[in-house]
Amino acid sequence: MGYFDEPGAWSRYNATQVDREPRPLAVALVEHAGEGAGRLALDLGFGAGVETALLLDHGWRVLAIDGDPAAGDSLTARLPADQAERLTVGTETFAELDALPPAHLVHAGRSLPYAGAHLSRLWQLIRAALLPGGWLACDLFGERDTTTDADDIATLTDAEVDRLLTGLDVVRHEVQEADGTAYAGPQHWHTHSVLARRPSDDGS
């Protein structure tokens, strides 16, 4: 059993992340997508909610989904009332998720690999939910990533990542590979960070 398979592990991890800055991928996503002006964004595996709060700061309505039952209460307690009114929280694991509403933006920072065997199905839900012209930012784990903090982690070859991105206009695709330390211990990182847009005239 990996660390994040233990009861309460995600809540403990999320508590350590509350005060960090938004990750660069999410900042770049907002810069490209612009102000939300009430449009709907999905934040999948929102964790501590740092990036959710960033989206709310920029006027988006957000449906934030996470499998940690404590995540929603922790996030809403930190938000001003006007932002909390634009937030809907769903407490579901990726294994349980079977539908997503149409959205102009989808953010999934470092969360999709934890879909494990459900990644392909979840990706289909994301692609179906993304409206024409909508923006997507996500992290995927490459085949040399040595994540050991969960029993079921999705790692992908370069060709598999490329297939997932087929039909999207990829604005940024950065591959990071390095030895380091994750929350649960030593790790060799092999991560694909992607910022892409669904074409506005793709005919689907």
Side-chain angles (χ1 to χ4, degrees), residues 11-138:
S11 295
R12 293 191 294 272
Y13 169 74
N14 290 336
T16 71
Q17 299 293 297
V18 170
D19 294 324
R20 66 169 172 78
E21 293 296 314
R23 292 190 173 111
L25 182 63
V27 174
L29 172 64
V30 170
E31 289 174 350
H32 281 82
E35 297 299 302
R39 292 178 294 168
L40 180 64
L42 309 180
D43 196 1
L44 305 180
F46 67 89
V50 174
E51 286 72 35
T52 312
L54 175 68
L55 291 167
L56 292 166
D57 284 343
H58 286 271
W60 291 85
R61 288 186 301 115
V62 182
L63 170 59
I65 298 173
D66 199 278
D68 176 15
D73 289 341
S74 173
L75 173 58
T76 54
R78 305 194 311 270
L79 295 175
D82 66 309
Q83 292 193 2
E85 291 175 354
R86 288 186 278 111
L87 173 67
T88 301
V89 173
T91 303
E92 294 178 273
T93 66
F94 288 150
E96 298 167 332
L97 196 60
D98 59 7
L100 291 170
H104 288 92
L105 181 154
V106 178
H107 172 261
R110 301 188 183 182
S111 61
L112 294 185
Y114 293 90
H118 300 277
L119 177 60
S120 178
R121 179 182 58 81
L122 178 60
W123 190 261
Q124 291 177 7
L125 293 177
I126 291 170
R127 290 291 298 263
L130 195 63
L131 290 166
W135 288 90
L136 167 66
C138 66

Side-chain angles (χ1 to χ4, degrees), residues 164-175:
L164 290 182
L165 301 179
T166 298
L168 296 172
D169 291 333
V170 178
V171 174
R172 180 182 302 182
H173 180 182
E174 296 180 347
V175 181

